[in-house]
Amino acid sequence: MRYGALEAGGTKMVMGVLNENMEVVRSTACPTRPPDETMEDILAFFEGEKLDAMGIATFGPVNLDMDSPEYGNITSTPKLAWRDYPLYKTIKEALNVPTLVDTDVNAAALAEATMGAAKGLKNILYVTVGTGVGGGLLLDGKLVHGMLHPEWGHIPLSRAEDDPLQRGICPYHALCLEGLASGPAIQSRWATPAKEIPVDHRAWDLESYYLAQLCVTALMTVSVERIILGGGVMHQETLFPKIRAQVKDMLGGYLQHPRVENLEELIVPPALYPDSGLIGAGLLAKAAL
């Protein structure tokens, strides 16, 4: 079997061909430009490949209603050139193989649950914290879509009293996760990119406070068995012990379960980074068959 995989991001597109063991046989990337230019590079990569199926893991928002004639269309993205673009239809018609589309974070969640940091678990949340914040949720072994894709990056948070930001940077919400904890929010708060902030800076205490609220919300609402935190901001490894300590404090002993008593295994980094999304797209291709 040969599976085509596309991880469609707002900054770059990653294309790959995977074998039946979900090993990446070959891959490449190109910058995300207007659709006509970008699709030319994407389809050129797959030209001549004898694919059995294709999986697309894309930035959103994206229409995931398989009964809709607009299934797989990018919808209200701030990348205006891609708004209402028929991503699924364009690739499906060009490659003429079974094709399935989902969000990039759902695909990453699927990959980590199948062969990564949450292997064998059926209830997990994968969150990427970078330029934006998004989450993919797997419950009872199935990816959750709902009415629309759940927007974990826009859940409301309580603002820390000592936060220099009086309002988050999200244009829609004053105090949401993305507006307070994304990479651009960190840079706006401290006038320094996150990757340049020292490990002992209080920026990471604030960041852990906000990400701990996310974790507690997930534990209290959908009761996941593991929370995987990935993305560029999470490269600051000092965040994980800080987040776990904050989560323990916020839970206040209310949840009684062996997993909650072992937060080092409950809140973890991804095991497949940086290929979680691409492998997830390969798994979508497999499911398309």
Side-chain angles (χ1 to χ4, degrees):
M1 291 290 183
R2 288 177 75 83
Y3 299 112
L6 170 65
E7 184 181 6
T11 302
K12 67 177 180 178
M13 301 280 177
V14 182
M15 297 80 77
V17 176
L18 289 78
N19 63 21
E20 63 274 8
N21 297 319
M22 290 298 129
E23 297 166 332
V24 180
V25 177
R26 73 182 188 98
S27 65
T28 192
C30 71
T32 302
R33 309 182 306 285
D36 290 346
E37 297 175 32
T38 310
M39 290 307 303
E40 186 175 344
D41 286 350
I42 292 170
L43 297 178
F45 173 84
F46 292 112
E47 187 175 359
E49 289 284 353
K50 295 181 179 179
L51 300 176
D52 294 287
M54 181 71 193
I56 304 168
T58 181
F59 68 92
V62 57
N63 185 333
L64 298 177
D65 181 359
M66 297 187 74
D67 295 324
S68 168
E70 285 81 39
Y71 170 69
N73 283 16
I74 304 296
T75 59
S76 57
T77 175
K79 298 182 73 66
L80 297 181
W82 286 86
R83 186 164 290 188
D84 300 321
Y85 184 76
L87 182 61
Y88 165 84
K89 182 179 179 181
T90 302
I91 292 177
K92 177 77 163 58
E93 291 181 350
L95 300 181
N96 194 30
V97 294
T99 302
L100 196 61
V101 63
D102 213 316
T103 62
D104 49 1
V105 282
N106 261 6
L110 179 63
E112 293 290 343
T114 303
M115 50 196 297
K119 185 177 180 180
L121 300 179
K122 294 184 177 181
N123 303 284
I124 74 153
L125 175 65
Y126 176 97
V127 178
T128 181
V129 187
T131 304
V133 180
L137 182 63
L138 191 80
L139 289 182
D140 293 328
K142 297 179 180 179
L143 293 171
V144 174
H145 297 141
M147 178 180 67
L148 299 168
H149 184 264
E151 290 286 351
W152 287 93
H154 294 273
I155 61 172
L157 300 183
S158 295
R159 175 182 167 275
E161 292 182 0
D162 61 343
D163 190 340
L165 283 182
Q166 295 299 310
R167 186 195 190 283
I169 65 167
C170 174
Y172 297 98
H173 313 113
L175 299 173
C176 72
L177 179 62
E178 183 170 293
L180 291 169
S182 64
I186 296 172
Q187 182 164 347
S188 177
R189 180 181 289 117
W190 305 111
T192 305
K195 63 183 179 181
E196 297 178 12
I197 296 177
V199 67
D200 58 350
H201 196 284
R202 72 184 183 99
W204 306 119
D205 294 320
L206 267 182
E207 185 72 7
S208 64
Y209 175 71
Y210 292 132
L211 292 176
Q213 289 185 59
L214 158 72
C215 295
V216 169
T217 297
L219 292 170
M220 293 295 193
T221 55
V222 288
S223 199
V224 289
E225 299 167 283
R226 187 153 296 161
I227 299 169
I228 301 169
L229 301 176
V233 170
M234 298 309 303
H235 290 171
Q236 180 53 269
E237 293 184 2
T238 188
L239 274 173
F240 281 96
K242 289 178 180 291
I243 292 167
R244 293 171 188 136
Q246 293 269 16
V247 167
K248 182 177 181 180
D249 183 60
M250 291 179 189
L251 288 175
Y254 180 72
L255 296 181
Q256 299 295 317
H257 192 279
R259 292 190 186 279
V260 178
E261 295 170 7
N262 189 5
L263 292 177
E264 288 76 14
E265 292 187 8
L266 179 62
I267 302 168
V268 301
L272 302 177
Y273 183 85
D275 293 326
S276 303
L278 194 64
I279 294 171
L283 290 167
L284 291 175
K286 183 177 181 179
L289 288 176

